[in-house]
Amino acid sequence: MVTIKDKYLRILSCLVILVLGMSLVPVASANSIPSIPNVFEGKLITGDADAPAGTIISAYIDSELAGSQFIKEAGVYKLDVSGTEEDNGKEIIFKLGLVESEPVSVTYQQGAVPVELDLTFEGDFVPPVIESCSASPVCILNDGEDYSVIRVKVSDDLSGVLSVTIDLTPIGGEVVPLTLEGGGIYTCNVGSIQAGEFKLALTATDYFGNTVTDEDSISITVVSEDELTTRYGGADKSFSTEEINNIVNNNEISSRSKYAILNIYFADGWDRI
């Protein structure tokens, strides 16, 4: 027979279990909830023309980058600006390249609905022009002393060229600046101890932060001495008089490579002249 006391004890036990179960459920903290970015979109108004596709539109809160995006269509943008709850009410600064927009009264509001906002910029948003580039000679030795001269002509009629760099990471180097020789011509010497065929990217930047990159025009071939016969010796892997004459007159092959080839050619005696 179940007494009233037993019923109350059962009810009390259920309540205790329920309370203990609730206490074990983790409660998400405010910091664990991902922030919902502010979305801004609209026109990009510049002094002379639409901001070109490929230009970077970016937003900053307290000088910290809060969002960036490549412009996909000239003259318009859409940008997610991400901040924290502590950023609520703080001013957002927009930049196109390195140029700050004309003043706009916009503050960050976490989770706010998308905002239509046209932005106006005054400055140069046309990238520099890489008019020509070359590597001479194209084929060099991997002895660490041989080198190819990189020669690039760059122009920027609006704001001027700030820098021209070449990415040497494919041959174990780093991104390095070229030297201005005058007349828009920039040069540098490139050598390597790594053998192989390499493409080296060139990047030109103007004073407004606009950039242009050429990843395909500069190629060099770096050869070790034991590969010279295989590469230049023909099907029989040896040098004929005609082949030597062609090599000597080939401006794409470095002088150090030619000397090394001649040493191989004359190794059996100078009577081969």
Side-chain angles (χ1 to χ4, degrees), residues 1-269:
M1 180 178 179
V2 179
T3 65
I4 294 176
K5 180 179 179 182
D6 292 334
K7 290 181 179 180
Y8 279 116
L9 287 174
R10 289 178 182 177
I11 293 172
L12 181 61
S13 298
C14 290
L15 289 173
V16 170
I17 293 171
L18 180 62
V19 171
L20 289 174
M22 291 177 63
S23 67
L24 295 175
V25 176
V27 178
S29 66
N31 292 333
S32 66
I33 300 174
S35 64
I36 302 174
N38 288 176
V39 179
F40 296 89
E41 56 185 326
K43 298 178 181 179
L44 291 176
I45 304 167
T46 62
D48 298 320
D50 289 339
T55 308
I56 298 177
I57 178 75
S58 55
Y60 294 81
I61 300 175
D62 284 345
S63 299
E64 296 291 332
L65 183 64
S68 65
Q69 181 68 51
F70 283 99
I71 297 170
K72 298 179 180 179
E73 180 183 350
V76 295
Y77 79 100
K78 184 175 183 180
L79 179 64
D80 291 354
V81 180
S82 299
T84 65
E85 189 174 353
E86 289 74 20
D87 292 324
N88 281 334
K90 292 183 179 179
E91 182 183 18
I92 300 174
I93 300 296
F94 295 93
K95 291 185 179 182
L96 192 61
L98 298 178
V99 182
E100 190 173 313
S101 72
E102 294 297 298
V104 290
S105 181
V106 180
T107 58
Y108 180 78
Q109 297 296 329
Q110 193 173 45
V113 298
V115 176
E116 289 280 346
L117 179 67
D118 294 340
L119 297 173
T120 301
F121 295 86
E122 294 294 335
D124 168 20
F125 305 105
V126 179
V129 177
I130 298 178
E131 297 184 22
S132 63
C133 50
S134 63
S136 181
V138 175
C139 303
I140 62 175
L141 283 179
N142 72 331
D143 59 2
E145 297 183 20
D146 206 0
Y147 62 86
S148 177
V149 179
I150 308 301
R151 181 181 176 89
V152 185
K153 185 173 183 180
V154 183
S155 62
D156 190 301
D157 295 334
L158 295 178
S159 59
V161 178
L162 173 63
S163 65
V164 179
T165 61
I166 187 167
D167 185 357
L168 301 182
T169 55
I171 58 175
E174 55 189 15
V175 177
V176 299
L178 278 70
T179 301
L180 176 61
E181 301 293 343
I185 303 297
Y186 295 78
T187 65
C188 75
N189 298 337
V190 173
S192 175
I193 60 173
Q194 296 185 25
E197 297 182 5
F198 305 97
K199 284 192 174 183
L200 307 175
L202 292 164
T203 299
T205 305
D206 68 16
Y207 281 92
F208 277 85
N210 304 303
T211 64
V212 61
T213 298
D214 184 328
E215 298 180 344
D216 299 316
S217 297
I218 296 296
S219 298
I220 63 170
T221 300
V222 187
V223 183
S224 61
E225 284 199 29
D226 57 8
E227 294 177 307
L228 291 173
T229 302
T230 302
R231 179 173 288 274
Y232 301 113
D236 58 356
K237 304 298 187 295
S238 64
F239 297 108
S240 66
T241 303
E242 182 180 359
E243 287 168 344
I244 288 296
N245 184 64
N246 291 335
I247 289 169
V248 169
N249 290 287
N250 189 339
N251 292 329
E252 292 192 347
I253 302 174
S254 71
S255 296
R256 293 182 68 86
S257 297
K258 293 175 182 179
Y259 290 142
I261 291 170
L262 289 173
N263 284 334
I264 296 171
Y265 180 68
F266 292 123
D268 295 333

